[in-house]
């Protein structure tokens, strides 16, 4: 049932081609409610139990490079009879996914994916200044930017790679579409320097919270498909 629902949301071919980019740990035989978070942790599992959710939907698995934390997460899922459903690349690629949903909720009239890469481009109805668009994202993400650069240009088009959009290659891809602002969830010296060099404004928020609107959209669609109540957000750190 869960795999069928994921097939409908993302396409069976995409899932089959990327088996390490999604997963199901099914420990609840009769699920009734969903809780969601960008990243699964022992804290989000505890929150699910407190909220009465028996299915946890996330963007990130408990990755192997988290070592004993991964082991503890999978142990807690088994002990608590909770089901975990996650989708990484498929959710990034989806039209309701991480970058697409964030740009849509920020008021972009048009959102498109220019290539097979990670970048999404959003076009606002009109134009705004840097502080105006920053205020929109501050409110939407419920956090302040971790890093920023105001180039002084009017903002009409936004390039977005939620989460780990730290690479200058992503910014270069986005600049081919006349962006005025680049938004992501991680940064580095080189990303900022490259943006400054080209006169592109930058907003960097946290990895978890830039991806959260897409995770919520995923949970809502899965809940509708399986006729499960969506209880709400299980909490994410502002990293």
């Amino acid at each position: 049932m869960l795999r069928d629902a994921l097939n409908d949301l993302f396409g069976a071919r995409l899932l089959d081609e990327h088996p390490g980019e999604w997963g199901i740990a099914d420990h609840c035989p009769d699920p009734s409610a969903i809780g969601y978070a960008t990243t699964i942790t022992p804290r989000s599992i505890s929150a699910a139990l407190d909220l009465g959710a028996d299915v946890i939907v996330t963007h990130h698995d408990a990755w192997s490079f988290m070592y004993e934390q991964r082991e503890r997460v999978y142990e807690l899922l088994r002990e608590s009879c909770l089901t975990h459903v996650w989708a990484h690349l498929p959710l990034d690629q989806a039209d309701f996914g991480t970058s697409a949903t964030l740009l849509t909720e920020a008021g972009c009239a048009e959102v498109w994916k220019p290539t097979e890469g990670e970048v999404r481009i959003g076009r606002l109805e009109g134009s705004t200044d840097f502080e105006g668009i920053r205020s929109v994202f501050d409110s939407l993400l419920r956090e302040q930017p971790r890093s920023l650069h105001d180039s002084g240009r009017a903002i009409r088009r936004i390039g977005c790679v939620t989460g780990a959009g730290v690479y200058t290659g992503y910014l270069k891809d986005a600049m081919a579409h006349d962006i005025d602002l680049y938004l992501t969830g991680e940064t580095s010296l080189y990303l900022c320097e490259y943006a400054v060099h080209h006169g592109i404004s930058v907003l960097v928020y946290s990895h978890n919270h830039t991806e959260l609107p897409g995770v919520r959209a995923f949970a809502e669609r899965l809940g509708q498909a399986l006729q499960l109540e969506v209880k709400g957000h299980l909490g994410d750190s502002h990293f």
Side-chain angles (χ1 to χ4, degrees), residues 6-238:
L6 295 183
N7 287 347
D8 291 341
L9 289 174
F10 301 116
R13 180 176 177 180
L14 179 65
L15 297 180
D16 289 341
E17 288 177 349
H18 301 279
E21 291 287 335
W22 66 279
I24 300 168
D26 193 358
H27 302 295
C28 180
D30 188 23
S32 61
I34 289 174
Y36 60 87
T38 301
T39 301
I40 190 164
T41 66
R43 298 183 303 279
S44 58
I45 292 173
S46 178
L49 294 171
D50 290 343
L51 203 61
D54 40 33
V55 178
I56 299 175
V57 171
T58 70
H59 186 41
H60 302 141
D61 189 21
W63 304 117
S64 60
F65 53 76
M66 297 303 286
Y67 306 109
E68 66 276 5
Q69 182 174 344
R70 172 186 172 88
E71 295 173 6
R72 183 56 178 157
V73 162
Y74 276 86
E75 183 180 65
L76 286 171
L77 290 171
R78 288 191 300 270
E79 289 176 355
S80 305
C81 297
L82 297 176
T83 289
H84 177 218
V85 183
W86 64 278
H88 192 235
L89 180 146
L91 186 59
D92 287 334
Q93 298 286 330
D95 288 339
F96 60 86
T98 49
S99 295
T101 296
L102 179 58
L103 289 171
T104 299
E105 292 190 358
C108 289
E110 182 183 12
V111 176
W112 70 95
K113 180 181 177 182
T115 67
E116 290 303 312
E118 299 294 328
V119 177
R120 293 273 177 162
I121 308 296
R123 179 183 60 81
L124 298 170
E125 284 279 9
S127 66
T128 186
D129 61 14
F130 182 80
E131 288 303 320
I133 197 64
R134 174 188 167 177
S135 177
V136 170
F137 283 111
D138 284 2
S139 177
L140 181 61
L141 299 175
R142 299 182 181 180
E143 61 183 11
Q144 300 292 310
R146 298 305 190 254
S147 181
L148 57 84
H149 169 67
D150 180 2
S151 70
R153 66 197 290 172
I155 309 299
R156 298 179 181 86
R157 288 192 180 193
I158 303 169
C160 180
V161 179
T162 55
V166 64
Y167 305 107
T168 53
Y170 292 158
L171 176 54
K172 184 175 177 63
D173 289 344
M175 287 192 305
H177 300 272
D178 300 320
I179 65 165
D180 307 296
L181 170 72
Y182 181 73
L183 186 145
T184 187
E186 291 187 12
T187 192
S188 71
L189 162 66
Y190 303 105
L191 178 70
C192 294
E193 282 290 348
Y194 195 56
V196 170
H197 179 74
H198 286 282
I200 303 297
S201 295
V202 176
L203 282 171
V204 181
Y205 291 90
S206 72
H207 191 133
N208 278 334
H209 284 253
T210 56
E211 295 182 324
L212 188 56
V215 177
R216 182 179 63 248
F218 175 25
E220 289 171 349
R221 282 165 172 76
L222 190 63
Q224 184 176 20
L226 299 176
Q227 298 184 321
L228 302 178
E229 179 185 1
V230 179
K231 290 282 192 177
H233 184 208
L234 303 177
D236 280 294
S237 298
H238 292 269

